[in-house]
Amino acid sequence: MANPNIVNVTVLIGKTALADITTTPTALVSNPGSSSKIFKLNALIISNVDGTNAATVDIVIYRSSLLASYHIAKTVSVPADSSIEALSKPIYLEEGDELRVAASANDDLQAVCSYEEIS
């Protein structure tokens, strides 16, 4: 696993990941361990599509080399019919990392993540 030197970028691909969030932590964006890429997460928006109830979201970066999760957001409330911006600045997913999301209720929350694959 060797992340690319981003000074010498040869390929930069913009992508958007979309998901209905469930109560089971699920990978929204995954950078495989042997990808030879680094992923730059630019924006993460969590929207509550339930018109009545608030729901909470957990957002973690899972690092496979450490078998550990690190929280970006922990039990953050998303009011009914509203959205939150979960990233205030871009962050990178190294090889073997995953951006995972989970909600307090199935299908009340949706995630939209804009990111770049860099190699």
Side-chain angles (χ1 to χ4, degrees), residues 20 47-53 78-82 107-110:
D20 291 319
S47 297
N48 188 334
V49 296
D50 185 308
T52 306
N53 301 305
V78 183
D81 282 337
S82 67
D107 302 320
D108 280 0
L109 302 179
Q110 294 179 335

Side-chain angles (χ1 to χ4, degrees), residues 96-110:
D97 288 353
E98 292 182 342
L99 177 68
R100 294 181 178 177
V101 293
S104 59
N106 283 328
D107 302 320
D108 280 0
L109 302 179
Q110 294 179 335

Side-chain angles (χ1 to χ4, degrees), residues 24-66:
T24 303
T26 305
L28 179 61
V29 179
S30 298
N31 187 0
S34 59
S35 70
S36 298
K37 298 177 183 177
I38 193 160
F39 291 5
K40 181 181 178 189
L41 306 179
N42 297 309
L44 176 59
I45 300 164
I46 307 296
S47 297
N48 188 334
V49 296
D50 185 308
T52 306
N53 301 305
T56 62
V57 65
D58 289 343
I59 305 165
V60 300
I61 294 195
Y62 176 75
R63 178 144 297 164
S64 64
S65 63
L66 301 175

Side-chain angles (χ1 to χ4, degrees), residues 52-119:
T52 306
N53 301 305
T56 62
V57 65
D58 289 343
I59 305 165
V60 300
I61 294 195
Y62 176 75
R63 178 144 297 164
S64 64
S65 63
L66 301 175
L67 300 176
S69 295
Y70 298 89
H71 281 87
I72 293 173
K74 176 78 172 148
T75 321
V76 173
S77 183
V78 183
D81 282 337
S82 67
S83 301
I84 63 166
E85 291 186 36
L87 288 178
S88 60
K89 303 213 187 261
I91 57 175
Y92 293 96
L93 289 185
E94 298 178 14
E95 288 181 309
D97 288 353
E98 292 182 342
L99 177 68
R100 294 181 178 177
V101 293
S104 59
N106 283 328
D107 302 320
D108 280 0
L109 302 179
Q110 294 179 335
V112 177
C113 182
S114 171
Y115 67 101
E116 298 165 357
E117 285 187 13
I118 302 169
S119 59

